[in-house]
mmCIF file of all heavy atoms in Angstrom:
data_model
loop_
_atom_site.group_PDB
_atom_site.id
_atom_site.type_symbol
_atom_site.label_atom_id
_atom_site.label_comp_id
_atom_site.label_asym_id
_atom_site.label_seq_id
_atom_site.Cartn_x
_atom_site.Cartn_y
_atom_site.Cartn_z
ATOM 1 N N LEU Y 1 108.917 104.150 102.620
ATOM 2 C CA LEU Y 1 109.857 103.462 101.745
ATOM 3 C C LEU Y 1 109.943 104.138 100.381
ATOM 4 O O LEU Y 1 108.951 104.679 99.885
ATOM 5 C CB LEU Y 1 109.448 102.001 101.555
ATOM 6 C CG LEU Y 1 109.442 101.093 102.787
ATOM 7 C CD1 LEU Y 1 108.982 99.688 102.397
ATOM 8 C CD2 LEU Y 1 110.830 101.039 103.434
ATOM 9 N N ASP Y 2 111.131 104.080 99.779
ATOM 10 C CA ASP Y 2 111.347 104.561 98.411
ATOM 11 C C ASP Y 2 111.416 103.313 97.535
ATOM 12 O O ASP Y 2 112.443 102.639 97.482
ATOM 13 C CB ASP Y 2 112.661 105.351 98.355
ATOM 14 C CG ASP Y 2 113.001 105.842 96.950
ATOM 15 O OD1 ASP Y 2 112.103 105.836 96.087
ATOM 16 O OD2 ASP Y 2 114.170 106.203 96.717
ATOM 17 N N VAL Y 3 110.309 102.992 96.865
ATOM 18 C CA VAL Y 3 110.174 101.712 96.162
ATOM 19 C C VAL Y 3 110.361 101.883 94.660
ATOM 20 O O VAL Y 3 109.744 102.750 94.032
ATOM 21 C CB VAL Y 3 108.787 101.084 96.442
ATOM 22 C CG1 VAL Y 3 108.645 99.755 95.714
ATOM 23 C CG2 VAL Y 3 108.588 100.886 97.951
ATOM 24 N N HIS Y 4 111.191 101.026 94.083
ATOM 25 C CA HIS Y 4 111.465 101.049 92.641
ATOM 26 C C HIS Y 4 111.066 99.708 92.037
ATOM 27 O O HIS Y 4 111.589 98.658 92.443
ATOM 28 C CB HIS Y 4 112.944 101.339 92.386
ATOM 29 C CG HIS Y 4 113.345 102.711 92.794
ATOM 30 N ND1 HIS Y 4 113.511 103.737 91.889
ATOM 31 C CD2 HIS Y 4 113.573 103.240 94.034
ATOM 32 C CE1 HIS Y 4 113.834 104.836 92.548
ATOM 33 N NE2 HIS Y 4 113.888 104.571 93.842
ATOM 34 N N LEU Y 5 110.131 99.736 91.103
ATOM 35 C CA LEU Y 5 109.630 98.524 90.466
ATOM 36 C C LEU Y 5 110.358 98.296 89.153
ATOM 37 O O LEU Y 5 110.328 99.155 88.265
ATOM 38 C CB LEU Y 5 108.126 98.658 90.194
ATOM 39 C CG LEU Y 5 107.240 99.139 91.351
ATOM 40 C CD1 LEU Y 5 105.782 99.192 90.900
ATOM 41 C CD2 LEU Y 5 107.391 98.242 92.575
ATOM 42 N N VAL Y 6 111.022 97.153 89.026
ATOM 43 C CA VAL Y 6 111.750 96.813 87.801
ATOM 44 C C VAL Y 6 111.019 95.676 87.104
ATOM 45 O O VAL Y 6 110.839 94.598 87.671
ATOM 46 C CB VAL Y 6 113.200 96.395 88.114
ATOM 47 C CG1 VAL Y 6 113.898 95.889 86.859
ATOM 48 C CG2 VAL Y 6 113.968 97.568 88.719
ATOM 49 N N GLU Y 7 110.585 95.938 85.872
ATOM 50 C CA GLU Y 7 109.785 94.968 85.123
ATOM 51 C C GLU Y 7 110.106 95.130 83.640
ATOM 52 O O GLU Y 7 110.036 96.236 83.097
ATOM 53 C CB GLU Y 7 108.295 95.213 85.377
ATOM 54 C CG GLU Y 7 107.338 94.481 84.462
ATOM 55 C CD GLU Y 7 107.522 92.971 84.482
ATOM 56 O OE1 GLU Y 7 107.609 92.396 85.597
ATOM 57 O OE2 GLU Y 7 107.593 92.369 83.389
ATOM 58 N N PRO Y 8 110.458 94.031 82.930
ATOM 59 C CA PRO Y 8 110.866 94.154 81.534
ATOM 60 C C PRO Y 8 109.751 94.320 80.514
ATOM 61 O O PRO Y 8 109.984 94.847 79.429
ATOM 62 C CB PRO Y 8 111.634 92.850 81.282
ATOM 63 C CG PRO Y 8 111.028 91.874 82.234
ATOM 64 C CD PRO Y 8 110.705 92.683 83.458
ATOM 65 N N MET Y 9 108.524 93.881 80.816
ATOM 66 C CA MET Y 9 107.463 93.869 79.819
ATOM 67 C C MET Y 9 106.699 95.198 79.761
ATOM 68 O O MET Y 9 106.227 95.692 80.797
ATOM 69 C CB MET Y 9 106.489 92.717 80.085
ATOM 70 C CG MET Y 9 107.121 91.337 79.953
ATOM 71 S SD MET Y 9 105.931 89.999 80.150
ATOM 72 C CE MET Y 9 104.892 90.264 78.712
ATOM 73 N N GLN Y 10 106.573 95.757 78.563
ATOM 74 C CA GLN Y 10 105.935 97.060 78.368
ATOM 75 C C GLN Y 10 104.502 97.097 78.898
ATOM 76 O O GLN Y 10 104.116 98.033 79.606
ATOM 77 C CB GLN Y 10 105.930 97.416 76.879
ATOM 78 C CG GLN Y 10 105.279 98.756 76.552
ATOM 79 C CD GLN Y 10 106.138 99.943 76.930
ATOM 80 O OE1 GLN Y 10 107.263 100.053 76.466
ATOM 81 N NE2 GLN Y 10 105.618 100.820 77.765
ATOM 82 N N ARG Y 11 103.702 96.075 78.572
ATOM 83 C CA ARG Y 11 102.297 96.113 78.997
ATOM 84 C C ARG Y 11 102.179 96.080 80.527
ATOM 85 O O ARG Y 11 101.254 96.648 81.097
ATOM 86 C CB ARG Y 11 101.491 94.971 78.373
ATOM 87 C CG ARG Y 11 101.901 93.566 78.771
ATOM 88 C CD ARG Y 11 101.071 92.505 78.061
ATOM 89 N NE ARG Y 11 101.491 91.153 78.356
ATOM 90 C CZ ARG Y 11 101.133 90.471 79.443
ATOM 91 N NH1 ARG Y 11 100.328 91.051 80.329
ATOM 92 N NH2 ARG Y 11 101.559 89.244 79.648
ATOM 93 N N ARG Y 12 103.144 95.408 81.163
ATOM 94 C CA ARG Y 12 103.119 95.354 82.628
ATOM 95 C C ARG Y 12 103.551 96.682 83.237
ATOM 96 O O ARG Y 12 102.967 97.138 84.225
ATOM 97 C CB ARG Y 12 104.006 94.225 83.132
ATOM 98 C CG ARG Y 12 103.436 92.841 82.814
ATOM 99 C CD ARG Y 12 104.341 91.740 83.333
ATOM 100 N NE ARG Y 12 103.768 90.425 83.059
ATOM 101 C CZ ARG Y 12 104.376 89.278 83.365
ATOM 102 N NH1 ARG Y 12 105.573 89.289 83.939
ATOM 103 N NH2 ARG Y 12 103.793 88.135 83.085
ATOM 104 N N THR Y 13 104.586 97.311 82.662
ATOM 105 C CA THR Y 13 105.009 98.598 83.210
ATOM 106 C C THR Y 13 103.953 99.673 82.961
ATOM 107 O O THR Y 13 103.768 100.563 83.796
ATOM 108 C CB THR Y 13 106.366 99.041 82.624
ATOM 109 O OG1 THR Y 13 106.306 99.029 81.200
ATOM 110 C CG2 THR Y 13 107.485 98.124 83.091
ATOM 111 N N ASP Y 14 103.248 99.583 81.843
ATOM 112 C CA ASP Y 14 102.146 100.517 81.592
ATOM 113 C C ASP Y 14 101.064 100.349 82.663
ATOM 114 O O ASP Y 14 100.534 101.332 83.193
ATOM 115 C CB ASP Y 14 101.541 100.279 80.202
ATOM 116 C CG ASP Y 14 102.453 100.735 79.079
ATOM 117 O OD1 ASP Y 14 103.424 101.469 79.351
ATOM 118 O OD2 ASP Y 14 102.205 100.346 77.914
ATOM 119 N N TRP Y 15 100.741 99.085 82.945
ATOM 120 C CA TRP Y 15 99.736 98.805 83.969
ATOM 121 C C TRP Y 15 100.210 99.282 85.339
ATOM 122 O O TRP Y 15 99.448 99.878 86.102
ATOM 123 C CB TRP Y 15 99.432 97.301 84.004
ATOM 124 C CG TRP Y 15 98.386 96.915 85.007
ATOM 125 C CD1 TRP Y 15 97.038 96.854 84.812
ATOM 126 C CD2 TRP Y 15 98.600 96.543 86.375
ATOM 127 N NE1 TRP Y 15 96.395 96.469 85.968
ATOM 128 C CE2 TRP Y 15 97.334 96.276 86.949
ATOM 129 C CE3 TRP Y 15 99.733 96.411 87.173
ATOM 130 C CZ2 TRP Y 15 97.176 95.878 88.270
ATOM 131 C CZ3 TRP Y 15 99.582 96.020 88.508
ATOM 132 C CH2 TRP Y 15 98.315 95.761 89.046
ATOM 133 N N LEU Y 16 101.459 99.024 85.650
ATOM 134 C CA LEU Y 16 102.010 99.452 86.939
ATOM 135 C C LEU Y 16 101.958 100.971 87.080
ATOM 136 O O LEU Y 16 101.571 101.490 88.129
ATOM 137 C CB LEU Y 16 103.454 98.961 87.090
ATOM 138 C CG LEU Y 16 103.644 97.474 87.387
ATOM 139 C CD1 LEU Y 16 105.109 97.088 87.223
ATOM 140 C CD2 LEU Y 16 103.158 97.138 88.794
ATOM 141 N N SER Y 17 102.336 101.681 86.028
ATOM 142 C CA SER Y 17 102.326 103.145 86.076
ATOM 143 C C SER Y 17 100.913 103.676 86.294
ATOM 144 O O SER Y 17 100.693 104.607 87.083
ATOM 145 C CB SER Y 17 102.910 103.721 84.788
ATOM 146 O OG SER Y 17 104.275 103.378 84.645
ATOM 147 N N THR Y 18 99.949 103.073 85.601
ATOM 148 C CA THR Y 18 98.552 103.485 85.759
ATOM 149 C C THR Y 18 98.058 103.195 87.168
ATOM 150 O O THR Y 18 97.357 104.015 87.782
ATOM 151 C CB THR Y 18 97.660 102.751 84.735
ATOM 152 O OG1 THR Y 18 98.079 103.078 83.411
ATOM 153 C CG2 THR Y 18 96.196 103.136 84.909
ATOM 154 N N THR Y 19 98.422 102.037 87.691
ATOM 155 C CA THR Y 19 97.994 101.641 89.036
ATOM 156 C C THR Y 19 98.603 102.544 90.098
ATOM 157 O O THR Y 19 97.915 102.983 91.030
ATOM 158 C CB THR Y 19 98.380 100.175 89.312
ATOM 159 O OG1 THR Y 19 97.715 99.337 88.362
ATOM 160 C CG2 THR Y 19 97.988 99.754 90.720
ATOM 161 N N VAL Y 20 99.878 102.835 89.967
ATOM 162 C CA VAL Y 20 100.558 103.720 90.925
ATOM 163 C C VAL Y 20 99.908 105.096 90.915
ATOM 164 O O VAL Y 20 99.699 105.713 91.973
ATOM 165 C CB VAL Y 20 102.064 103.820 90.584
ATOM 166 C CG1 VAL Y 20 102.724 104.961 91.349
ATOM 167 C CG2 VAL Y 20 102.761 102.497 90.897
ATOM 168 N N ALA Y 21 99.551 105.598 89.730
ATOM 169 C CA ALA Y 21 98.886 106.900 89.624
ATOM 170 C C ALA Y 21 97.497 106.860 90.248
ATOM 171 O O ALA Y 21 97.094 107.787 90.963
ATOM 172 C CB ALA Y 21 98.793 107.320 88.158
ATOM 173 N N ASP Y 22 96.758 105.767 89.999
ATOM 174 C CA ASP Y 22 95.409 105.605 90.547
ATOM 175 C C ASP Y 22 95.445 105.602 92.072
ATOM 176 O O ASP Y 22 94.598 106.223 92.732
ATOM 177 C CB ASP Y 22 94.803 104.298 90.035
ATOM 178 C CG ASP Y 22 93.325 104.150 90.357
ATOM 179 O OD1 ASP Y 22 92.929 104.465 91.497
ATOM 180 O OD2 ASP Y 22 92.555 103.708 89.482
ATOM 181 N N LEU Y 23 96.457 104.926 92.644
ATOM 182 C CA LEU Y 23 96.577 104.824 94.099
ATOM 183 C C LEU Y 23 97.250 106.051 94.716
ATOM 184 O O LEU Y 23 97.342 106.154 95.941
ATOM 185 C CB LEU Y 23 97.365 103.566 94.469
ATOM 186 C CG LEU Y 23 96.771 102.229 94.024
ATOM 187 C CD1 LEU Y 23 97.696 101.082 94.396
ATOM 188 C CD2 LEU Y 23 95.387 102.011 94.640
ATOM 189 N N GLU Y 24 97.742 106.952 93.858
ATOM 190 C CA GLU Y 24 98.425 108.174 94.292
ATOM 191 C C GLU Y 24 99.609 107.859 95.205
ATOM 192 O O GLU Y 24 99.792 108.473 96.269
ATOM 193 C CB GLU Y 24 97.448 109.123 94.986
ATOM 194 C CG GLU Y 24 96.321 109.582 94.072
ATOM 195 C CD GLU Y 24 95.382 110.570 94.744
ATOM 196 O OE1 GLU Y 24 95.500 110.784 95.976
ATOM 197 O OE2 GLU Y 24 94.520 111.146 94.044
ATOM 198 N N LEU Y 25 100.432 106.919 94.765
ATOM 199 C CA LEU Y 25 101.610 106.514 95.537
ATOM 200 C C LEU Y 25 102.814 107.342 95.096
ATOM 201 O O LEU Y 25 103.426 107.085 94.065
ATOM 202 C CB LEU Y 25 101.889 105.024 95.330
ATOM 203 C CG LEU Y 25 100.803 104.066 95.826
ATOM 204 C CD1 LEU Y 25 101.157 102.631 95.449
ATOM 205 C CD2 LEU Y 25 100.616 104.197 97.338
ATOM 206 N N ALA Y 26 103.156 108.319 95.902
ATOM 207 C CA ALA Y 26 104.274 109.205 95.571
ATOM 208 C C ALA Y 26 105.631 108.563 95.833
ATOM 209 O O ALA Y 26 106.664 109.113 95.435
ATOM 210 C CB ALA Y 26 104.158 110.497 96.375
ATOM 211 N N ASN Y 27 105.642 107.412 96.493
ATOM 212 C CA ASN Y 27 106.901 106.768 96.877
ATOM 213 C C ASN Y 27 107.276 105.604 95.961
ATOM 214 O O ASN Y 27 108.099 104.760 96.326
ATOM 215 C CB ASN Y 27 106.822 106.264 98.321
ATOM 216 C CG ASN Y 27 105.694 105.262 98.557
ATOM 217 O OD1 ASN Y 27 104.659 105.327 97.902
ATOM 218 N ND2 ASN Y 27 105.891 104.340 99.489
ATOM 219 N N VAL Y 28 106.695 105.564 94.745
ATOM 220 C CA VAL Y 28 106.966 104.458 93.818
ATOM 221 C C VAL Y 28 107.439 104.995 92.473
ATOM 222 O O VAL Y 28 106.860 105.940 91.931
ATOM 223 C CB VAL Y 28 105.708 103.586 93.599
ATOM 224 C CG1 VAL Y 28 106.004 102.473 92.591
ATOM 225 C CG2 VAL Y 28 105.239 102.983 94.918
ATOM 226 N N THR Y 29 108.501 104.361 91.938
ATOM 227 C CA THR Y 29 108.999 104.676 90.608
ATOM 228 C C THR Y 29 109.015 103.388 89.786
ATOM 229 O O THR Y 29 109.471 102.346 90.286
ATOM 230 C CB THR Y 29 110.426 105.257 90.654
ATOM 231 O OG1 THR Y 29 110.440 106.393 91.527
ATOM 232 C CG2 THR Y 29 110.884 105.674 89.260
ATOM 233 N N VAL Y 30 108.512 103.437 88.566
ATOM 234 C CA VAL Y 30 108.450 102.268 87.693
ATOM 235 C C VAL Y 30 109.569 102.339 86.661
ATOM 236 O O VAL Y 30 109.771 103.383 86.022
ATOM 237 C CB VAL Y 30 107.084 102.177 86.982
ATOM 238 C CG1 VAL Y 30 107.040 100.960 86.055
ATOM 239 C CG2 VAL Y 30 105.947 102.115 88.007
ATOM 240 N N HIS Y 31 110.290 101.237 86.485
ATOM 241 C CA HIS Y 31 111.384 101.162 85.519
ATOM 242 C C HIS Y 31 111.139 99.985 84.575
ATOM 243 O O HIS Y 31 110.908 98.866 85.050
ATOM 244 C CB HIS Y 31 112.727 100.939 86.217
ATOM 245 C CG HIS Y 31 113.049 101.939 87.287
ATOM 246 N ND1 HIS Y 31 113.772 103.083 87.037
ATOM 247 C CD2 HIS Y 31 112.726 101.962 88.616
ATOM 248 C CE1 HIS Y 31 113.908 103.765 88.170
ATOM 249 N NE2 HIS Y 31 113.284 103.106 89.139
ATOM 250 N N ARG Y 32 111.218 100.223 83.280
ATOM 251 C CA ARG Y 32 111.055 99.114 82.329
ATOM 252 C C ARG Y 32 112.416 98.595 81.888
ATOM 253 O O ARG Y 32 113.263 99.348 81.412
ATOM 254 C CB ARG Y 32 110.242 99.533 81.097
ATOM 255 C CG ARG Y 32 109.978 98.353 80.144
ATOM 256 C CD ARG Y 32 108.965 98.718 79.075
ATOM 257 N NE ARG Y 32 109.508 99.661 78.106
ATOM 258 C CZ ARG Y 32 110.204 99.297 77.025
ATOM 259 N NH1 ARG Y 32 110.452 98.011 76.779
ATOM 260 N NH2 ARG Y 32 110.648 100.221 76.182
ATOM 261 N N GLY Y 33 112.612 97.293 82.041
ATOM 262 C CA GLY Y 33 113.858 96.664 81.629
ATOM 263 C C GLY Y 33 114.177 95.482 82.526
ATOM 264 O O GLY Y 33 113.532 95.268 83.555
ATOM 265 N N ARG Y 34 115.174 94.710 82.124
ATOM 266 C CA ARG Y 34 115.629 93.579 82.930
ATOM 267 C C ARG Y 34 116.592 94.085 83.998
ATOM 268 O O ARG Y 34 117.252 95.113 83.827
ATOM 269 C CB ARG Y 34 116.308 92.541 82.047
ATOM 270 C CG ARG Y 34 115.386 91.956 80.982
ATOM 271 C CD ARG Y 34 116.088 90.888 80.158
ATOM 272 N NE ARG Y 34 115.218 90.377 79.116
ATOM 273 C CZ ARG Y 34 114.272 89.453 79.310
ATOM 274 N NH1 ARG Y 34 114.095 88.942 80.516
ATOM 275 N NH2 ARG Y 34 113.515 89.044 78.310
ATOM 276 N N ALA Y 35 116.685 93.326 85.072
ATOM 277 C CA ALA Y 35 117.538 93.736 86.186
ATOM 278 C C ALA Y 35 118.960 94.015 85.730
ATOM 279 O O ALA Y 35 119.572 95.017 86.137
ATOM 280 C CB ALA Y 35 117.531 92.649 87.267
ATOM 281 N N GLU Y 36 119.488 93.161 84.837
ATOM 282 C CA GLU Y 36 120.873 93.316 84.403
ATOM 283 C C GLU Y 36 121.105 94.607 83.618
ATOM 284 O O GLU Y 36 122.244 95.081 83.511
ATOM 285 C CB GLU Y 36 121.329 92.108 83.577
ATOM 286 C CG GLU Y 36 120.430 91.744 82.422
ATOM 287 C CD GLU Y 36 119.390 90.685 82.752
ATOM 288 O OE1 GLU Y 36 118.849 90.718 83.886
ATOM 289 O OE2 GLU Y 36 119.131 89.830 81.890
ATOM 290 N N GLU Y 37 120.032 95.178 83.059
ATOM 291 C CA GLU Y 37 120.161 96.433 82.319
ATOM 292 C C GLU Y 37 120.346 97.633 83.244
ATOM 293 O O GLU Y 37 120.740 98.715 82.791
ATOM 294 C CB GLU Y 37 118.929 96.653 81.444
ATOM 295 C CG GLU Y 37 118.731 95.619 80.342
ATOM 296 C CD GLU Y 37 117.447 95.857 79.568
ATOM 297 O OE1 GLU Y 37 117.264 96.999 79.092
ATOM 298 O OE2 GLU Y 37 116.626 94.926 79.459
ATOM 299 N N PHE Y 38 120.061 97.462 84.529
ATOM 300 C CA PHE Y 38 120.139 98.571 85.475
ATOM 301 C C PHE Y 38 121.382 98.552 86.339
ATOM 302 O O PHE Y 38 121.524 99.385 87.237
ATOM 303 C CB PHE Y 38 118.882 98.589 86.349
ATOM 304 C CG PHE Y 38 117.639 98.982 85.597
ATOM 305 C CD1 PHE Y 38 116.766 98.011 85.130
ATOM 306 C CD2 PHE Y 38 117.370 100.309 85.323
ATOM 307 C CE1 PHE Y 38 115.635 98.356 84.409
ATOM 308 C CE2 PHE Y 38 116.234 100.680 84.607
ATOM 309 C CZ PHE Y 38 115.370 99.701 84.150
ATOM 310 N N VAL Y 39 122.276 97.611 86.064
ATOM 311 C CA VAL Y 39 123.528 97.562 86.818
ATOM 312 C C VAL Y 39 124.332 98.831 86.540
ATOM 313 O O VAL Y 39 124.573 99.189 85.396
ATOM 314 C CB VAL Y 39 124.358 96.313 86.440
ATOM 315 C CG1 VAL Y 39 125.695 96.323 87.173
ATOM 316 C CG2 VAL Y 39 123.581 95.049 86.765
ATOM 317 N N GLY Y 40 124.698 99.532 87.596
ATOM 318 C CA GLY Y 40 125.410 100.792 87.446
ATOM 319 C C GLY Y 40 124.498 101.981 87.230
ATOM 320 O O GLY Y 40 124.959 103.124 87.200
ATOM 321 N N VAL Y 41 123.205 101.721 87.081
ATOM 322 C CA VAL Y 41 122.218 102.783 86.855
ATOM 323 C C VAL Y 41 121.293 102.936 88.058
ATOM 324 O O VAL Y 41 120.983 104.047 88.501
ATOM 325 C CB VAL Y 41 121.367 102.489 85.598
ATOM 326 C CG1 VAL Y 41 120.302 103.558 85.400
ATOM 327 C CG2 VAL Y 41 122.254 102.375 84.370
ATOM 328 N N LEU Y 42 120.868 101.813 88.611
ATOM 329 C CA LEU Y 42 119.945 101.790 89.739
ATOM 330 C C LEU Y 42 120.502 100.856 90.807
ATOM 331 O O LEU Y 42 120.895 99.729 90.508
ATOM 332 C CB LEU Y 42 118.569 101.286 89.277
ATOM 333 C CG LEU Y 42 117.457 101.169 90.328
ATOM 334 C CD1 LEU Y 42 117.088 102.554 90.852
ATOM 335 C CD2 LEU Y 42 116.224 100.481 89.732
ATOM 336 N N SER Y 43 120.543 101.318 92.039
ATOM 337 C CA SER Y 43 121.039 100.473 93.128
ATOM 338 C C SER Y 43 120.361 100.864 94.428
ATOM 339 O O SER Y 43 119.822 101.971 94.557
ATOM 340 C CB SER Y 43 122.561 100.589 93.270
ATOM 341 O OG SER Y 43 122.934 101.913 93.614
ATOM 342 N N ALA Y 44 120.391 99.959 95.405
ATOM 343 C CA ALA Y 44 119.762 100.200 96.697
ATOM 344 C C ALA Y 44 120.341 99.229 97.725
ATOM 345 O O ALA Y 44 120.879 98.175 97.365
ATOM 346 C CB ALA Y 44 118.246 100.016 96.604
ATOM 347 N N PRO Y 45 120.211 99.539 99.004
ATOM 348 C CA PRO Y 45 120.668 98.618 100.042
ATOM 349 C C PRO Y 45 119.774 97.390 100.174
ATOM 350 O O PRO Y 45 120.163 96.392 100.784
ATOM 351 C CB PRO Y 45 120.617 99.457 101.321
ATOM 352 C CG PRO Y 45 120.522 100.874 100.869
ATOM 353 C CD PRO Y 45 119.778 100.821 99.572
ATOM 354 N N TRP Y 46 118.562 97.480 99.597
ATOM 355 C CA TRP Y 46 117.589 96.407 99.733
ATOM 356 C C TRP Y 46 116.981 96.067 98.371
ATOM 357 O O TRP Y 46 116.584 96.964 97.627
ATOM 358 C CB TRP Y 46 116.461 96.815 100.689
ATOM 359 C CG TRP Y 46 116.953 97.166 102.054
ATOM 360 C CD1 TRP Y 46 117.395 98.385 102.472
ATOM 361 C CD2 TRP Y 46 117.094 96.281 103.166
ATOM 362 N NE1 TRP Y 46 117.787 98.321 103.776
ATOM 363 C CE2 TRP Y 46 117.614 97.036 104.231
ATOM 364 C CE3 TRP Y 46 116.804 94.926 103.357
ATOM 365 C CZ2 TRP Y 46 117.874 96.491 105.486
ATOM 366 C CZ3 TRP Y 46 117.062 94.366 104.602
ATOM 367 C CH2 TRP Y 46 117.588 95.140 105.643
#
């Protein structure tokens, strides 16, 4: 799976980025912001 994590809070996205790196998950991308901020920028079938 190509997984994209959308989370508005900085401390949470920092934690997510660190966790993804620790787990060596190459299939995860972390995005900071609210869902509505990514309309037209990020999209997926799921």
